[in-house]
Amino acid sequence: MSKLYTEMTKEELLAEKKSLKKRYDAFKARGLKLDMSRGKPGADQLDLSTGIYDVKYYIADGLDVRNYGMLDGIPSCKQLFADLMGVDSKNVVIGPNASLTLMYDYIGQCYTHGAGDKPWCKLDEVKFICPVPGYDRHFTICEYFGIKMINVPMNLDGPDMDAIEELVKDESVKGMFCVPKYSNPQGITFSDEIVEKIAALKPAAKDFRIIWDNAYCIHDLVDDGDELLNIFDILPKYGNEDMVVEVCSTSKITFPGAGVSAIIASDNNIAQIKTRLNAQTISYDKMNQHRHVQFFGNADGVREHMKKHAKILKPKFDMVLKHLNDELGDKGIASWFNPKGGYFISLDVMDGCAKRTGELCKAAGVTLTTVGATYPYGIDPKDSNIRIAPSFPPVEELDIAAELLCICVRLACVEKLLEK
């Protein structure tokens, strides 16, 4: 076993820096242009769904889907999502290609018309709980609406519930964004106990809303993927049916630019959403909804399709994890979670070294997610978290990029220790 960096003498650190710099300069001289910044499917994943355009007719559920009608989606598509998510189809509204749009629109609805109480725009302050590290798009929505974000740390079984239970005593805390299965970026799935505690919350704000962003609901990398307790089965036990609004989409199942999304909620919430949609749109793309139903047939068809994605993605995750283990596993300068699904690997490095790692990577031709993006306002208090997105580059490029990333982590940490 190699020596921990924190136990090295100054002379040993200087020798390590010299060795790492030599490796780094060799990579830099190659003029690389590699991208691990966003969780985009690779072209080989997108190719899996090209058959979706082979639909020969456009009559679905007795309706010509090329025409007006069915504001909340065609029944067969509503049923497809209902079966996937374990809910009743009457509690499903089919949306556009991105669930991000549904989340933004729902928060906008709460701002202008409220969620069973006074519109949020008429309040002095609106606060949201944000488990961290988290999804930068959630933070962007909050910033756009002027919502004050409150960090709550993620544990290995989900967010810190002691902190959340205390925060919801404040009536100005109106909600929480979270990714409950294969969280972005750590890949953590909320335990049954955490889901139960969330369902049992008693917020001071009666219009408290949890945006349950179940983006990776069936995105397993292995056969024994994580199981997430269906929160809609638990909410009635605590009289909290209206507290959770769930979103999901086929963005990483078929095409991010041409998928189908869904919002799932209680009868009361669905009624409010439909009222807003009646003013907002005639209907979303029903032809695309029909194409997806025809292509998959049923929920089992979607699950079988996801096994094809896993065969492509698993080797990419394995490649990154191999380099992390080989290069960083015994240095005492980094930690990470081995996810069973999702789209990211979250790497925590020595405090104060993440930004420097990003700078070194960029200078050598590897683009990472902007360091700090996994925290509200782009501020990582410890400057330690790096989100790795392995999905887009081919395995051969990941092999290079992951090795270079590890060299940059080691170099940044040696520099930090030498400063001390």
Side-chain angles (χ1 to χ4, degrees):
M1 178 182 287
S2 63
K3 199 170 186 179
L4 295 176
Y5 275 22
T6 53
E7 296 177 354
M8 287 184 175
T9 64
K10 182 178 180 181
E11 289 72 24
E12 287 172 327
L13 286 170
L14 287 169
E16 181 76 354
K17 181 180 179 181
K18 183 178 180 181
S19 173
L20 290 167
K21 190 69 165 56
K22 185 177 180 180
R23 290 177 67 188
Y24 177 76
D25 288 341
F27 272 101
K28 194 173 180 181
R30 296 168 68 173
L32 301 170
K33 291 184 179 180
L34 306 176
D35 189 352
M36 291 198 296
S37 61
R38 301 300 310 186
K40 298 191 297 185
D44 47 358
Q45 289 177 264
L46 300 176
D47 289 342
L48 294 174
S49 300
T50 53
I52 204 167
Y53 292 108
D54 293 339
V55 174
K56 299 296 191 296
Y57 61 94
Y58 287 97
I59 303 297
D61 307 298
L63 177 82
D64 187 333
V65 295
R66 297 170 296 182
N67 216 324
Y68 292 128
M70 294 189 181
L71 180 70
D72 56 344
I74 64 174
S76 53
C77 194
K78 285 162 62 78
Q79 190 61 55
L80 180 66
F81 275 93
D83 292 342
L84 283 171
M85 308 309 291
V87 296
D88 193 300
S89 63
K90 69 182 175 62
N91 297 109
V92 178
V93 170
I94 304 299
N97 68 294
S99 56
L100 181 67
T101 303
L102 296 176
M103 290 188 279
Y104 175 91
D105 285 348
Y106 185 74
I107 298 298
Q109 174 184 314
C110 292
Y111 250 80
T112 58
H113 287 70
D117 202 2
K118 186 183 294 186
W120 293 356
C121 65
K122 295 185 178 180
L123 303 176
D124 293 333
E125 188 172 49
V126 176
K127 303 171 188 172
F128 254 56
I129 296 167
C130 296
V132 293
Y135 180 30
D136 54 335
R137 298 284 189 173
H138 292 162
F139 309 148
T140 301
I141 291 174
C142 287
E143 277 201 80
Y144 185 84
F145 284 99
I147 296 172
K148 181 179 179 180
M149 292 175 275
I150 305 170
N151 293 4
V152 166
M154 281 283 288
N155 299 320
L156 291 179
D157 60 350
D160 183 337
M161 289 308 300
D162 289 339
I164 291 174
E165 287 166 356
E166 188 63 32
L167 286 168
V168 298
K169 294 176 182 177
D170 178 355
E171 195 173 1
S172 68
V173 174
K174 294 293 185 181
M176 176 173 76
F177 273 111
C178 62
V179 180
K181 184 172 180 180
Y182 302 136
S183 65
N184 180 349
Q186 291 167 301
I188 291 169
T189 298
F190 295 3
S191 69
D192 290 359
E193 182 182 5
I194 293 295
V195 174
E196 184 91 24
K197 285 185 175 182
I198 291 173
L201 284 172
K202 294 300 178 187
K206 63 182 181 181
D207 54 349
F208 182 86
R209 291 293 182 268
I210 296 170
I211 309 302
W212 199 251
D213 185 0
N214 208 348
Y216 310 111
C217 51
I218 53 172
H219 297 63
D220 302 315
L221 292 172
V222 293
D223 290 337
D224 62 336
D226 294 342
E227 292 290 335
L228 175 69
L229 191 64
N230 188 345
I231 196 166
F232 287 104
D233 291 340
I234 313 300
L235 291 168
K237 184 162 69 171
Y238 300 100
N240 278 336
E241 292 91 333
D242 295 341
M243 189 173 70
V244 174
V245 174
E246 182 175 32
V247 296
C248 58
S249 77
T250 68
S251 288
K252 292 180 175 70
I253 297 174
T254 54
F255 308 119
V260 177
S261 63
I263 189 165
I264 299 158
S266 66
D267 291 346
N268 290 335
N269 285 330
I270 288 294
Q272 291 177 336
I273 290 167
K274 284 183 179 179
T275 298
R276 186 242 307 160
L277 286 177
N278 192 55
Q280 184 177 7
T281 184
I282 299 300
S283 69
Y284 292 115
D285 188 345
K286 297 188 297 297
M287 291 172 66
N288 199 29
Q289 296 169 27
H290 178 57
R291 281 193 290 264
H292 278 71
V293 174
Q294 289 295 297
F295 183 63
F296 290 119
N298 54 37
D300 285 338
V302 182
R303 296 186 185 99
E304 285 301 312
H305 186 77
M306 293 310 295
K307 292 179 181 179
K308 299 175 185 176
H309 280 278
K311 286 181 180 179
I312 295 171
L313 286 172
K314 183 69 163 53
K316 296 184 178 185
F317 275 73
D318 288 346
M319 178 62 73
V320 173
L321 292 167
K322 177 183 182 299
H323 281 289
L324 294 181
N325 283 304
D326 291 349
E327 294 271 356
L328 305 177
D330 55 0
K331 303 295 188 294
I333 56 172
S335 62
W336 56 92
F337 183 81
N338 288 11
K340 287 188 174 184
Y343 257 66
F344 304 100
I345 297 170
S346 181
L347 176 65
D348 285 305
V349 301
M350 183 184 291
D351 290 1
C353 294
K355 284 186 179 179
R356 177 57 178 157
T357 299
E359 290 169 359
L360 289 166
C361 283
K362 185 176 182 180
V366 172
T367 303
L368 302 174
T369 300
T370 302
V371 175
T374 53
Y375 283 77
Y377 312 108
I379 301 171
D380 177 354
K382 295 182 179 180
D383 183 23
S384 64
N385 187 252
I386 296 170
R387 187 181 81 166
I388 303 171
S391 61
F392 187 67
V395 174
E396 299 76 18
E397 290 186 5
L398 275 174
D399 190 9
I400 299 167
E403 182 180 355
L404 178 55
L405 167 62
C406 291
I407 292 170
C408 293
V409 170
R410 292 172 63 178
L411 195 52
C413 292
V414 167
E415 291 174 352
K416 175 64 70 172
L417 288 168
L418 283 169
E419 286 176 10
K420 297 178 180 179

